[in-house]
């Protein structure tokens, strides 16, 4: 069968890849191409080379090697029973495309995933070959993220980790029941087994590098995963619990949440309407609270309503503060760092600045105004030398005062 | 009044020398009028800078964090940065901890300028777009045009030499141009946008990638504009497509939902008669639109056993009844042999319309696609909730998919009762038409398996008959 031209196939295979939320190019070792044969460098925090009108960053060339697939996962546009156009690239074509984009400063590197053709091992071998060719034949030093196939041979997954900066395996759905219903060919135990192996390989490699500096690096940017939100009936509390257990057990760098979005030729089993994008945003906020603000998963779960859902109109930190008003107001001149981090409207940077500044002076409300983005949001929850909220935290209309004004509903929402 | 003049406005070294001199002469910030290359000093009181007599030779105090900040802030275009930097330096002499006070107004301002420059540096790394041209010696050179907000060109060039160490490139700006030949950097005069080639071989691919990676179901234009303001768009070829992408987005999403299977409106019917009527009007999948008549199930609500086949065949469509053709006769034979009464079961198909291809006058059976089966599940689910069977016999892979939502392996899962969430149990076996296609020994073997499966079914139907 003759293949369509490169542009057509690129369009098909990029279109098929866009449901993976991650496009991060951060967190790997710093390196550049000086003294090498090829091109490429990495920075600490990654670079977004463009933004699409969906607000998402385009950092990597995000591509499927092929969207042919022998699996039949309902939420996936590439499932066997889907009627989408199919295409495939050879490893060499992907290598050429990556280098050609990189040379023009379009991208930070490659994020390669694939539908499963022939067998999981065959597919994984092809993906590893792309990474090997970039690194060995072209001395490419940019970022590479490979999606590991849980069903593939562990040795192949290990090789992927040797070439790539990041390896990821998607847990797909927050609950085992959801997985059984929507991804019948996948197996939660197997997915977690592979995650555990990658995680222990990373730890072992860190240890080896302490003793032998020449030991090859293994996935220096760690591993990540993705959960689809809104395709099954898992609540936010379920999702937060699952994410926290994944962070704990497999030392993941990131859990991505992807609001299920309508796909062409959708399976009839799926809800047709997307969940509100705000829900995804609230989940990311709670993820941040757990990773950077010292919130335990239970704290976030306390911020949910009776059905386990986070409020959509206010952020989870404010929701928590409104529920546990007895902890407020907080005296910014005395309070501990952990308590300052709980104040709605104070970010990690503002808290850092407050801690430094209060060594030099007693902070007044004007000082806080200079250090924060929105004084209005912070004011009801803090005490400064010249400010004390008048029992604001007891007001019943406090929530209404702090909730952003309702926006007009989307026309087709 | 002292006039202080900074010649190359992005040269931190020159500023440091100047500031050191001013500090050593004890010149207070208020007594200096700053000016720099490209701006004319118009202050009436200005005079030549006083000769740098080192009046005070005290060691100058300066914190490392100030030097770091000043290196960046000097690149800002705002002329006010010069008095600000000197004022902070001046204050540092008496307030050595000043830099640690993030609430101080001068420090706040310094941090704002620093942030703006750093952002500009970051955006240049992100938004420079090279196009290829050939040097006289036939080797590719990658050339880009960029207009930074601040004077960051030289300070930022290390990033590009590190990243593209082994390719030739040039970055052209309105202030100067920078060239890398693979070994050393050279500087050239200001350039114009026209100096960059008008097109590039790979740009169409990049534009195609940008179009395809965009998800029209999640339009967030504000988020995009926040990170990629319009002033950068002129140098980014992919941004030309943005207006069309936004305009098409909602239409595309609506289209996906519409074609994404369901024009099933409202709630499913709750009676078999209503369901049969509804079926006739269904056109939610291509088979429903082929002009044939839908064949609804046969049997009573409340039947303990439900038998599900694939789809009506030629004869079934003509008669409007399920399982009366050749496969139906095979089924009847085996059911009778197993002692199962077809009359007391509810018999239906996973797909309700007949899918066929015309060969001359004959209508040849064609298998429904997984998508078509999934669409028709809406009806099958409605039948299940009306009939409420305890056991469902799935004949073949299509029936099993319609019931389970996945395509199982018949060989692995046949002959066992699979418990379902609604309390019923599903027993999978082969489709009788499969038996018809086999001959000789293999047919005998498959028929034996089919009989075994029906025996399992019979066993599980029995005990409850006794109780009743």
């Amino acid at each position: 069968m003759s293949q369509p031209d490169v542009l057509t196939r690129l369009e098909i295979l990029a279109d098929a890849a866009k449901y993976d939320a991650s496009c991060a190019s951060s967190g790997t070792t710093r390196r550049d191409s000086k003294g090498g044969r090829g091109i490429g460098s990495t920075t600490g925090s990654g670079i977004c080379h463009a933004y699409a009108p969906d607000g998402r960053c385009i950092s990597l060339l995000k591509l499927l090697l092929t969207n042919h697939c022998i699996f039949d996962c309902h939420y996936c546009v590439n499932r066997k029973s889907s009627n989408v156009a199919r295409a495939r690239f050879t490893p060499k074509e992907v290598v050429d495309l990556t280098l050609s984009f990189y040379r023009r400063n379009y991208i930070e590197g490659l994020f390669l995933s694939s539908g499963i053709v022939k067998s999981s091992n065959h597919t994984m071998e092809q993906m590893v070959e792309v990474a090997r060719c970039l690194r060995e034949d072209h001395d490419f030093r940019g970022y590479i993220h490979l999606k590991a196939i849980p069903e593939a041979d562990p040795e192949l997954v290990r090789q992927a980790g040797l070439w790539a900066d990041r390896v990821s395996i998607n847990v797909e759905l927050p609950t085992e029941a959801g997985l059984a219903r929507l991804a019948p060919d996948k197996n939660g135990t197997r997915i977690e087994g592979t995650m555990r192996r990658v995680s222990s390989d990373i730890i072992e490699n860190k240890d080896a590098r302490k003793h032998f500096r020449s030991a090859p690096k293994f996935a220096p940017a760690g591993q990540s995963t993705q959960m689809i939100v809104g395709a099954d009936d898992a609540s936010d509390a379920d999702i937060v619990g699952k994410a926290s257990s994944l962070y704990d057990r497999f030392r993941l760098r990131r859990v991505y949440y992807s609001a299920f979005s309508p796909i062409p030729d959708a399976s009839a089993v799926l809800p047709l309407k997307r969940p509100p994008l705000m829900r995804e945003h609230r989940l990311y906020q709670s993820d941040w609270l757990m990773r950077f603000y010292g919130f335990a998963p239970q704290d976030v779960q306390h911020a949910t309503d009776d059905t386990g859902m986070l409020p959509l109109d206010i952020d989870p930190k404010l929701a928590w503060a409104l529920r546990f008003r007895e902890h407020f107001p907080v005296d910014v001149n005395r309070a501990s760092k952990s308590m300052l981090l709980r104040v709605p409207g104070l970010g990690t940077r503002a808290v850092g600045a407050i801690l430094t500044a209060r060594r030099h002076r007693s902070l007044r409300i004007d000082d806080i105004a200079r250090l924060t983005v929105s004084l209005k949001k912070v004011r009801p929850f803090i005490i400064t030398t010249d400010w004390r909220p008048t029992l604001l935290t007891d007001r019943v209309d406090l929530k209404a005062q702090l909730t952003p004004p309702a926006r007009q509903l989307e026309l087709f929402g | 009044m002292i006039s202080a003049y900074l010649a190359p406005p992005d040269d931190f070294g020159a500023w440091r020398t100047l500031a050191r001199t001013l500090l050593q002469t004890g010149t207070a910030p208020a007594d200096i009028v700053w000016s720099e290359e490209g701006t004319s000093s118009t202050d009436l009181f200005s005079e030549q800078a006083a000769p740098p007599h080192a009046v005070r030779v005290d060691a100058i105090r300066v914190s490392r964090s100030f030097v770091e900040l000043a290196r960046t802030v000097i690149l800002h275009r705002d002329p006010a940065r010069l008095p600000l930097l000197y004022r902070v330096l001046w204050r540092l002499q008496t307030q050595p901890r000043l830099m640690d006070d993030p609430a101080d107004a001068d420090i706040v301002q310094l941090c704002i300028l620093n942030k703006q420059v750093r952002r500009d540096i970051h955006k240049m790394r992100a938004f420079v777009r090279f196009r290829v041209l050939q040097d006289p010696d036939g080797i590719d050179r990658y050339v880009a045009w960029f207009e930074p907000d601040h004077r960051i060109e030289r300070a930022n060039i290390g990033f590009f030499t590190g990243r593209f160490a082994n390719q030739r490139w040039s970055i052209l700006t309105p202030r100067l141009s920078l060239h890398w030949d693979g070994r050393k950097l050279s500087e050239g005069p200001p350039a114009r946008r026209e100096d960059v080639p008008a097109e590039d071989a790979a740009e169409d691919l990049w534009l195609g990638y940008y179009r395809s990676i965009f998800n029209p179901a999640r339009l967030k234009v504000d988020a995009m504009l926040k990170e990629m303001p319009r002033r950068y768009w002129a140098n980014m070829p992919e941004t030309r497509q943005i207006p069309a992408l936004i305009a098409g987005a909602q239409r595309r999403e609506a289209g996906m939902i519409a074609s994404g299977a369901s024009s099933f409106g409202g709630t499913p019917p709750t009676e078999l008669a209503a369901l049969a009527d509804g079926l006739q009007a269904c056109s939610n999948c291509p088979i429903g639109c082929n002009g044939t008549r839908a064949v609804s199930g046969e049997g009573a609500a409340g039947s303990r056993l439900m038998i599900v086949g694939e789809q009506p065949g030629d004869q079934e469509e003509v008669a409007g009844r399920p399982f009366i053709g050749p496969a139906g006769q095979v089924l009847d034979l085996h059911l009778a042999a197993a002692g199962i009464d077809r009359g007391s079961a509810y018999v239906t198909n996973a797909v309700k319309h007949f899918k066929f291809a015309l060969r001359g006058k004959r209508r040849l059976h064609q298998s429904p696609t997984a998508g078509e089966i999934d669409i028709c599940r809406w009806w099958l689910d409605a039948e299940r909730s009306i009939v409420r069977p305890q056991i469902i016999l799935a004949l073949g892979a299509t029936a099993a998919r319609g019931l389970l939502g996945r395509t199982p392996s018949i060989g692995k899962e046949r002959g066992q009762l699979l418990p379902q969430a609604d309390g019923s149990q599903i027993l999978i076996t082969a489709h009788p038409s499969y038996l018809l296609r086999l001959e000789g020994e293999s047919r005998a073997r498959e028929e034996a398996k089919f009989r075994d499966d029906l025996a399992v079914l019979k066993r599980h139907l029995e005990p409850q008959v006794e109780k009743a």
Side-chain angles (χ1 to χ4, degrees):
Chain A
M1 194 181 75
S2 76
Q3 286 272 328
D5 63 19
V6 174
L7 176 60
T8 312
R9 285 183 288 149
L10 174 64
E11 285 176 336
I12 293 173
L13 293 170
D15 190 88
K18 71 182 165 205
Y19 302 96
D20 249 309
S22 166
C23 201
S25 53
S26 56
T28 190
T29 46
R30 277 167 189 270
R31 51 180 189 258
D32 61 33
S33 49
K34 284 178 186 152
R37 293 173 287 123
I39 49 165
S41 65
T42 51
T43 59
S45 52
I47 297 174
C48 294
H49 284 273
Y51 290 81
D54 52 20
R56 281 183 170 172
C57 143
I58 301 176
S59 181
L60 304 172
L61 171 61
K62 198 156 44 168
L63 212 56
L64 257 59
L65 196 56
T66 172
N67 65 341
H68 291 279
C69 192
I70 56 173
F71 281 7
D72 203 8
C73 309
H74 288 284
Y75 53 83
C76 179
V77 65
N78 305 312
R79 68 189 189 284
K80 184 170 60 179
S81 59
S82 165
N83 204 13
V84 295
R86 307 278 173 174
R88 67 188 153 81
F89 274 131
T90 63
K92 182 175 180 308
E93 283 171 324
V94 176
V95 168
D96 291 346
L97 209 51
T98 307
L99 291 173
S100 155
F101 277 14
Y102 199 93
R103 286 183 182 285
R104 289 165 175 80
N105 203 38
Y106 296 159
I107 52 170
E108 285 293 289
L110 174 69
F111 177 178
L112 188 65
S113 181
S114 182
I116 306 207
V117 274
K118 290 188 194 165
S119 68
S120 301
N121 280 348
H122 172 81
T123 312
M124 198 68 222
E125 271 166 21
Q126 298 260 302
M127 292 167 66
V128 170
E129 170 57 16
V130 171
R132 185 209 61 78
C133 179
L134 277 170
R135 292 280 194 241
E136 271 196 342
D137 302 349
H138 297 276
D139 193 16
F140 175 71
R141 301 187 184 177
Y143 195 92
I144 299 180
H145 178 165
L146 290 182
K147 178 67 67 62
I149 297 167
E151 292 75 15
D153 190 88
E155 174 53 27
L156 284 169
V157 177
R158 205 183 63 81
Q159 283 180 27
L162 288 175
W163 301 120
D165 291 283
R166 175 170 281 183
V167 175
S168 66
I169 301 149
N170 286 358
V171 294
E172 310 293 8
L173 291 155
T175 62
E176 194 64 31
L179 199 65
R181 199 170 79 85
L182 296 176
D185 299 307
K186 295 202 176 182
N187 172 326
T189 322
R190 184 174 256 165
I191 293 174
E192 296 203 346
T194 310
M195 286 170 111
R196 185 176 305 284
R197 265 198 304 280
V198 171
S199 141
S200 63
D201 279 346
I202 291 175
I203 294 169
E204 245 169 59
N205 178 258
K206 279 218 177 99
D207 187 56
R209 284 181 58 79
K210 267 182 215 148
H211 299 101
F212 312 101
R213 288 199 57 193
S214 58
K217 289 197 176 99
F218 185 89
Q223 73 168 318
S224 64
T225 192
Q226 170 171 303
M227 263 190 269
I228 294 168
V229 175
D232 63 354
D233 47 16
S235 69
D236 290 345
D238 294 338
I239 293 172
V240 165
K242 175 79 179 184
S244 137
S245 110
L246 290 172
Y247 279 124
D248 287 351
R249 288 187 298 154
F250 308 123
R251 304 199 180 185
L252 295 186
R253 285 289 182 89
R254 280 293 295 275
V255 174
Y256 290 92
Y257 307 93
S258 177
F260 158 73
S261 69
I263 50 176
D265 197 32
S267 159
V269 181
L270 283 177
L272 276 166
K273 255 185 64 100
R274 63 184 185 196
L277 286 182
M278 188 49 84
R279 182 174 173 203
E280 181 189 292
H281 183 59
R282 296 295 180 224
L283 283 168
Y284 275 116
Q285 286 178 321
S286 56
D287 194 85
W288 250 247
L289 291 183
M290 291 193 293
R291 287 161 62 213
F292 305 115
Y293 288 81
F295 277 65
Q298 295 80 352
D299 291 334
V300 176
Q301 283 161 350
H302 284 148
T304 61
D305 63 13
D306 305 338
T307 58
M309 301 302 273
L310 291 165
L312 292 177
D313 54 347
I314 54 172
D315 65 78
K317 200 174 170 191
L318 180 56
W320 186 87
L322 289 174
R323 181 152 298 190
F324 298 97
R325 294 183 191 196
E326 64 273 19
H327 296 296
F328 299 97
V330 165
D331 184 344
V332 292
N333 284 305
R334 288 201 178 74
S336 65
K337 182 179 178 187
S338 64
M339 207 52 230
L340 285 173
L341 283 169
R342 300 244 161 178
V343 174
L346 289 187
T348 46
R349 197 169 294 183
V351 168
I354 288 174
L355 291 175
T356 322
R358 76 183 186 188
R359 273 188 239 134
H360 298 271
R361 59 171 84 199
S362 293
L363 296 175
R364 306 168 63 83
I365 197 76
D366 289 348
D367 297 320
I368 301 298
R370 273 197 288 273
L371 297 176
T372 59
V373 182
S374 163
L375 185 62
K376 188 171 167 241
K377 196 173 175 190
V378 182
R379 214 160 35 189
F381 298 99
I382 57 165
I383 293 174
T384 65
T385 47
D386 58 342
W387 165 264
R388 174 177 287 273
T390 44
L391 297 178
L392 255 179
T393 45
D394 292 333
R395 289 177 64 150
V396 277
D397 63 344
L398 183 59
K399 183 179 170 194
Q401 294 228 323
L402 294 169
T403 306
R407 288 178 47 174
Q408 189 184 349
L409 289 172
E410 288 163 81
L411 203 50
F412 300 96
Chain B
M1 277 290 169
I2 299 283
S3 159
Y5 175 75
L6 184 65
D10 58 350
D11 188 343
F12 176 74
W15 178 84
R16 184 166 52 185
T17 312
L18 199 58
R20 201 176 272 158
T21 311
L22 289 164
L23 212 53
Q24 283 176 344
T25 54
T27 317
D31 297 336
I32 307 172
V33 178
W34 288 91
S35 61
E36 58 192 308
E37 192 181 61
T39 60
S40 57
S41 165
T42 55
D43 196 291
L44 287 176
F45 300 101
S46 71
E47 51 188 72
Q48 279 303 300
H53 294 303
V55 178
R56 281 168 38 166
V57 285
D58 306 1
I60 294 172
R61 295 154 174 269
V62 61
S63 71
R64 186 192 297 269
S65 58
F66 172 77
V67 177
E68 271 170 29
L69 218 52
R71 262 183 215 285
T72 315
V73 170
I74 198 78
L75 307 175
H76 203 284
R77 256 188 216 284
D78 186 354
R81 76 194 185 288
L82 296 175
L84 173 69
L85 281 171
Y86 186 70
R87 189 162 63 246
V88 173
L89 182 62
W90 178 265
R91 289 179 61 200
L92 273 171
Q93 306 314 306
T94 50
Q95 295 169 255
R97 306 289 306 276
L98 178 63
M99 295 306 292
D100 294 339
D101 183 358
D104 180 272
D106 277 348
I107 303 300
V108 168
Q109 182 58 20
L110 215 48
C111 289
I112 291 173
L113 296 184
N114 175 53
K115 201 171 159 187
Q116 287 168 348
V117 173
R118 296 187 77 88
R119 184 176 157 93
D120 198 33
I121 285 177
H122 186 80
K123 292 302 178 195
M124 177 172 170
R125 293 174 182 184
F127 297 155
V128 155
R129 295 285 183 268
F130 289 111
R131 284 176 172 158
V132 184
L133 59 76
Q134 284 202 332
D135 272 353
D137 59 4
I139 295 177
D140 285 346
R141 174 174 289 276
Y142 292 76
V143 188
W145 165 256
F146 193 75
E147 297 162 280
D149 289 344
H150 304 288
R151 299 184 183 98
I152 56 169
E153 301 90 340
R154 292 189 187 96
N156 208 9
I157 215 66
F159 169 82
F160 293 95
T161 51
R163 171 157 293 196
F164 303 109
N166 300 298
Q167 91 184 23
R168 291 184 189 176
W169 50 262
S170 301
I171 295 178
L172 314 181
T173 77
R175 204 161 72 88
L176 72 160
S177 49
L178 292 151
H179 310 282
W180 175 256
D181 67 355
R183 234 167 285 147
K184 66 177 199 329
L185 198 64
S186 57
E187 214 170 276
R192 292 166 310 144
R193 185 191 299 273
E194 298 77 57
D195 298 337
V196 169
E199 49 195 17
D200 182 274
E203 215 160 87
D204 274 348
L205 291 173
W206 171 242
L207 264 58
Y209 177 69
Y210 184 82
R211 283 194 303 273
S212 310
I213 206 71
F214 161 57
N215 185 348
R218 8 182 338 143
L219 202 57
K220 278 189 184 173
V221 181
D222 290 350
M224 170 188 70
L225 286 175
K226 186 165 167 263
E227 294 299 336
M228 195 174 73
R230 277 181 218 277
R231 66 173 184 280
Y232 294 110
W233 288 18
N235 300 320
M236 302 169 71
E238 65 273 24
T239 55
R240 290 199 297 268
Q241 315 177 96
I242 290 174
L245 288 177
I246 294 175
Q250 283 182 326
R251 186 171 38 79
R252 279 171 68 190
E253 188 193 0
M256 273 185 234
I257 293 180
S259 68
S262 239
S263 28
F264 287 112
T267 49
T270 51
E271 283 174 17
L272 289 173
L275 190 142
D277 288 346
L279 267 180
Q280 296 305 334
C282 179
S283 57
N284 285 315
C285 80
I287 324 178
C289 307
N290 68 3
T292 59
R293 121 161 102 161
V295 177
S296 42
E298 212 172 65
S303 300
R304 183 173 298 135
L305 173 64
M306 181 163 166
I307 301 175
V308 183
E310 184 198 46
Q311 64 171 349
D314 183 64
Q315 295 185 29
E316 282 87 359
E317 198 269 330
V318 173
R321 294 183 54 205
F323 276 111
I324 56 162
Q329 286 155 20
V330 173
L331 176 67
D332 288 347
L333 227 74
H334 281 277
L335 284 177
I340 300 168
D341 176 20
R342 172 174 165 168
S344 65
Y346 182 86
V347 183
T348 188
N349 283 301
V351 173
K352 312 298 185 200
H353 280 88
F354 175 37
K355 183 176 181 180
F356 62 90
L358 265 184
R359 288 281 176 282
K361 286 186 179 173
R362 291 175 60 209
R363 301 196 292 180
L364 282 187
H365 163 274
Q366 280 200 312
S367 299
T369 65
E372 289 157 352
I373 301 168
D374 291 346
I375 291 170
C376 221
R377 268 187 95 178
W378 194 83
W379 293 111
L380 189 59
D381 284 348
E383 280 177 297
R384 280 171 77 175
S385 61
I386 298 170
V387 177
R388 304 207 136 281
Q390 284 157 14
I391 300 187
I392 306 175
L393 178 64
L395 300 171
T398 298
R401 185 181 177 94
L403 292 163
L404 296 170
R406 63 184 169 94
T407 306
S409 155
I410 302 279
K412 282 184 199 150
E413 298 189 46
R414 69 186 299 169
Q416 21 178 332
L417 288 156
L418 310 170
Q420 300 300 302
D422 65 355
S424 67
Q425 304 191 84
I426 292 176
L427 181 82
I428 301 176
T429 186
H431 195 278
S433 67
Y434 175 58
L435 305 177
L436 281 173
R437 289 200 298 273
L438 299 171
E439 278 173 16
E441 203 183 302
S442 51
R443 173 156 182 175
R445 198 170 53 232
E446 280 302 318
E447 281 187 330
K449 285 191 195 163
F450 192 71
R451 273 197 300 274
D452 291 348
D453 292 342
L454 290 189
V456 173
L457 176 64
K458 173 70 178 167
R459 261 206 310 284
H460 283 86
L461 284 170
E462 275 303 77
Q464 276 142 344
V465 174
E466 283 162 17
K467 261 185 247 162

